[in-house]
Amino acid sequence: MTKDEAPRPGLPAGRRAVLLAAAAIWPAGRALAQASDNVVKLGVLDDMSGPFADQQGMGDVVAARMAIEDFGGRVLGSPIELVFGDLQNRPDIGMGIARRWYDQERVDAIFGIGNSAVALAVQQLTREKNRINVSVAAGTTELTGRACSPNGVHWTYDNYALARGTVSAMIGEGRRRWYFITSDYAFGHSLEANGIEAVRALGGEVVGTTRAPLNETDFSTYLLRAAQSGANVLGLAVAGTDLINAVKQMGEFGLIRRGIQPAALLCLLTNVKAIGLETAQGLVFTEAYYWDRDEGSRAFAARFARLHGRPPTMFQASMWGAVTHYLKAVQAAGTDAAPAVMAKMREMPIDDFTTRGGRIREDGRVIRDMLLMRAKRPAESRGEWDLLEVVKTIPGDQAFRPAAESECPALRPA
């Protein structure tokens, strides 16, 4: 019995007995609702200085802070604290930060983890430490496949959903001969594999592939091979500044004029801005959020822009949603202990401006609608960030790999 629960001196014996009996039957979760160390501590671990910093970076930190402020800054009567770190797209650095956060700084949950190789490593560490990780910006499907974890959530998208949506659109336009340029690390490999699977499943043909190192600046050799391959679609399994450089150089080398359509398997608002609509117009890709989609999206974007100077990418908007859902689950669980919070996160529906009617599947995959996007022509743009149009909505049960095809042990029949 704690000091606050001790019966007051002078109470009649019968009254003391009633109070003790009531305490014994009161639900434990409510009687003991509290945060460990009297604080709930969150970490944002992302690319803060490399090729993905523009689409993750401090924008993710801004969105996480917004979520904490919107929640009131406290949960279970305890303050919510936020730390952030630069994973530098290196598993050793990302793991070092995550281990320090868990072992020394008592971080309860890590968000973002915007590099697939780092995300896979951190998810395994998180499982060992019995904390929670929410991968907002990583793409590899292994996070909810063979490497799935009861402590891990894959929040925004994955490479299956990106590839399936974009490939379907291109093949629907009669573009069936594909060549892939791929970033040579876990994210690129996964995106390429999912893209090739989708092309073949939909009756297309893969006429060649080539891999480029992360942070490549000169894509001329890869583009020459694509031009000579006979492809009419160039599948770009690259991201960030690599994507920007590849699409710009496609325009410079005349591939687009020759009828080779770029298909970005991961593209974001900031990438299109950097490429410019003159070159990017017509570029097709799949996303989870667009700032100008509806009133809720626009309202959040306006708030975010006042703090960060521009509308959010899908990762930055999703960070708000992920942190908010986690805090709601902590409140509902009455504790920040990982098993109880994860149970509530899976039990509670996700319904906000980024995710309508979403849910967390047993393998950790968030099932949500995805959006097929197309970059506007310059004449269609009404302002600096009016760059994209929503072509169609892809229902969540069609966007992501079916549970029956998952390699996650949590989804296998007993």
Side-chain angles (χ1 to χ4, degrees), residues 279-404:
T279 299
Q281 59 182 302
L283 186 65
V284 172
F285 54 95
T286 304
E287 281 208 331
Y289 162 88
Y290 180 51
W291 73 269
D292 199 22
R293 181 187 182 194
D294 54 32
E295 286 303 318
S297 300
R298 285 188 285 273
F300 178 81
R303 291 176 56 210
F304 182 91
R306 285 194 290 271
L307 297 170
H308 197 59
R310 64 187 183 214
T313 66
M314 73 167 174
F315 297 149
Q316 293 158 351
S318 293
M319 178 64 74
W320 183 94
V323 170
T324 297
H325 189 70
Y326 170 82
L327 293 174
K328 287 180 178 179
V330 170
Q331 185 71 54
T335 176
D336 58 359
V341 175
M342 283 299 304
K344 287 296 181 182
M345 289 181 74
R346 289 191 174 92
E347 173 187 317
M348 298 164 58
I350 308 167
D351 202 359
D352 58 42
F353 67 92
T354 63
T355 310
R356 299 187 182 97
R359 62 185 176 86
I360 301 176
R361 200 165 63 184
E362 289 83 352
D363 57 353
R365 172 69 264 158
V366 170
I367 305 300
R368 60 141 54 78
D369 293 349
M370 299 292 287
L371 307 174
L372 183 67
M373 311 295 298
R374 190 185 301 273
K376 290 184 173 182
R377 296 190 297 271
E380 297 173 324
S381 176
R382 303 183 307 274
E384 181 182 7
W385 292 99
D386 181 29
L387 304 173
L388 308 175
E389 61 177 328
V390 179
V391 178
K392 71 173 182 177
T393 299
I394 306 169
D397 59 358
Q398 298 175 24
F400 294 95
R401 189 183 301 280

Side-chain angles (χ1 to χ4, degrees), residues 217-301:
T217 57
D218 183 2
F219 282 85
S220 58
T221 300
Y222 315 109
L223 294 172
L224 178 61
R225 293 174 188 168
Q228 295 172 340
S229 70
N232 57 15
V233 184
L234 179 55
L236 294 167
V238 297
T241 55
D242 288 354
L243 173 68
I244 294 165
N245 289 332
V247 176
K248 283 184 174 180
Q249 290 170 35
M250 277 189 74
E252 293 168 4
F253 297 147
L255 270 69
I256 298 173
R257 290 194 302 273
R258 296 187 209 178
I260 301 178
Q261 171 71 37
L265 299 186
L266 174 58
C267 184
L268 290 99
L269 177 71
T270 50
N271 303 148
V272 175
K273 181 73 164 69
I275 294 167
L277 287 184
E278 191 63 42
T279 299
Q281 59 182 302
L283 186 65
V284 172
F285 54 95
T286 304
E287 281 208 331
Y289 162 88
Y290 180 51
W291 73 269
D292 199 22
R293 181 187 182 194
D294 54 32
E295 286 303 318
S297 300
R298 285 188 285 273
F300 178 81

Side-chain angles (χ1 to χ4, degrees), residues 9-86:
L11 283 176
R15 177 75 181 279
R16 289 201 302 270
V18 169
L19 290 173
L20 289 171
I25 63 172
W26 192 255
R30 293 180 64 183
L32 301 176
Q34 62 182 359
S36 59
D37 305 322
N38 296 314
V39 64
V40 173
K41 197 166 188 177
L42 314 182
V44 172
L45 182 60
D46 268 325
D47 183 353
M48 300 291 177
S49 59
F52 314 121
D54 201 39
Q55 58 206 40
Q56 304 171 22
M58 287 305 297
D60 276 0
V61 178
V62 168
R65 285 173 174 161
M66 290 174 67
I68 291 169
E69 290 171 4
D70 289 347
F71 206 80
R74 302 179 70 86
V75 63
L76 303 181
S78 298
I80 306 164
E81 294 184 1
L82 182 71
V83 295
F84 59 89
D86 185 356

Side-chain angles (χ1 to χ4, degrees), residues 49-236:
S49 59
F52 314 121
D54 201 39
Q55 58 206 40
Q56 304 171 22
M58 287 305 297
D60 276 0
V61 178
V62 168
R65 285 173 174 161
M66 290 174 67
I68 291 169
E69 290 171 4
D70 289 347
F71 206 80
R74 302 179 70 86
V75 63
L76 303 181
S78 298
I80 306 164
E81 294 184 1
L82 182 71
V83 295
F84 59 89
D86 185 356
L87 52 75
Q88 298 181 44
N89 295 298
R90 289 177 51 184
D92 58 333
I93 291 177
M95 279 286 281
I97 295 171
R99 191 178 296 279
R100 185 184 78 243
W101 282 354
Y102 286 150
D103 291 346
Q104 299 176 27
E105 300 186 32
R106 307 301 296 271
V107 167
D108 296 293
I110 296 178
F111 296 79
I113 327 176
N115 174 287
S116 289
V118 178
L120 288 167
V122 169
Q123 181 152 291
Q124 178 57 36
L125 176 67
T126 301
R127 184 171 189 170
E128 294 169 5
K129 299 295 183 180
N130 198 24
R131 307 294 172 83
I132 290 173
N133 67 274
V134 183
S135 296
V136 172
T140 178
T141 52
E142 287 299 292
L143 286 167
T144 54
R146 286 173 292 185
C148 69
S149 164
N151 297 65
V153 178
H154 202 175
W155 189 267
T156 310
Y157 78 108
D158 63 26
N159 292 340
Y160 179 97
L162 296 187
R164 181 65 58 145
T166 304
V167 170
S168 297
M170 289 288 95
I171 290 184
E173 294 178 1
R175 297 181 178 273
R176 297 179 174 276
R177 292 174 58 81
W178 287 67
Y179 189 96
F180 286 87
I181 295 178
T182 301
S183 284
D184 194 11
Y185 74 110
F187 162 79
H189 300 169
S190 172
L191 194 51
E192 178 192 88
N194 281 278
I196 289 174
E197 177 187 345
V199 168
R200 291 174 176 164
L202 295 168
E205 177 185 3
V206 177
V207 298
T209 64
T210 188
R211 290 183 173 177
L214 183 63
N215 284 324
E216 180 62 274
T217 57
D218 183 2
F219 282 85
S220 58
T221 300
Y222 315 109
L223 294 172
L224 178 61
R225 293 174 188 168
Q228 295 172 340
S229 70
N232 57 15
V233 184
L234 179 55
L236 294 167

